[in-house]
Amino acid sequence: NYHSLPILLRTNVPKEIMAFPGFPHPKEWTSYITREQCLEYLNMFIDHYSLRKYIRVKFRALRLLF
């Protein structure tokens, strides 16, 4: 649960390492981003690549096929 994380939580890995390839974090952010920035980055990535339509929350998966 996103809201159960401590308010002052910061990542323990610099943004330069945890960025998706070809999709860097905003340059003005410090290396160790806040939980809000982490969530914002994920939303930016999702919206940039129009992935939101593939995301399901509170959804029970009965089977996974690979």
Side-chain angles (χ1 to χ4, degrees):
N1 183 328
Y2 168 72
H3 294 289
S4 66
L5 294 173
I7 297 295
L8 299 177
L9 178 72
R10 288 194 174 269
T11 58
N12 62 353
V13 178
K15 69 177 185 182
E16 294 81 7
I17 293 175
M18 62 185 259
F20 293 119
F23 198 82
H25 290 79
K27 291 181 182 183
E28 63 272 7
W29 290 1
T30 61
S31 281
Y32 292 89
I33 61 175
T34 65
R35 71 181 189 150
E36 290 84 10
Q37 288 170 317
C38 186
L39 182 61
E40 182 179 350
Y41 174 76
L42 291 174
N43 278 309
M44 289 167 33
F45 181 85
I46 289 165
D47 292 339
H48 180 79
Y49 290 104
S50 301
L51 300 174
R52 203 164 295 280
K53 61 188 169 199
Y54 301 109
I55 298 172
R56 302 283 185 261
V57 294
K58 296 184 180 181
F59 185 85
R60 180 189 249 184
L62 300 176
R63 180 170 60 150
L64 296 176
L65 300 174
F66 293 94

